[in-house]
Amino acid sequence: VQFIDTWYDVSAKNNNNNNYVNGLKYCNDINSYLVDIDCIQVLNVLNNILSGYNDDIDFKIDYNNKKIDGLVFINNYSLYFIIYVWAENDKQSRVEFRRKSGDSLASAKFWGQLKCLFAKQQNYKQQMDTDN
């Protein structure tokens, strides 16, 4: 088993505006996802995905702080989660998933489903853009 030991120091100063970015220090390749769209677009895509999610879910999007707080039930297990979004650079954003409380296996399943649905939605959008 090989563990990924890539930690992003997102508490470092952002080169664009010299402000601290969210103050998050626990982001890695397992609990985050890099996308080629801006933060607001990411939150809108996640809103569409979570709104159409099949299991019981309740969530709140904070566009000012670029985060989503929520509760979802996966296989009768409750999972409280938070998703942070921030600009990685001028053209990319990073989505970070954190389990606040609840079952760890349900958390891994949910995060895997979100990443898959996000990728499918992005691939569909790219395909539509090339068809036009």
Side-chain angles (χ1 to χ4, degrees), residues 75-112:
N75 299 333
N76 296 322
Y77 291 103
S78 64
L79 168 65
Y80 289 89
F81 66 91
I82 190 163
I83 299 172
Y84 295 100
V85 180
W86 69 90
E88 183 82 9
N89 55 46
D90 290 341
K91 297 179 182 177
Q92 296 176 313
S93 299
R94 184 163 294 278
V95 180
E96 180 192 7
F97 177 83
R98 287 196 194 177
R99 174 178 61 101
K100 290 168 55 176
S101 67
D103 186 71
S104 60
L105 293 177
S107 175
K109 180 179 180 178
F110 180 62
W111 176 232

Side-chain angles (χ1 to χ4, degrees), residues 35-39 41-42 45 91-93 118 122 125:
V35 295
D36 294 329
I37 57 178
D38 69 41
C39 296
Q41 289 176 319
V42 170
V45 170
K91 297 179 182 177
Q92 296 176 313
S93 299
F118 199 99
Q122 289 304 293
K125 184 182 180 306

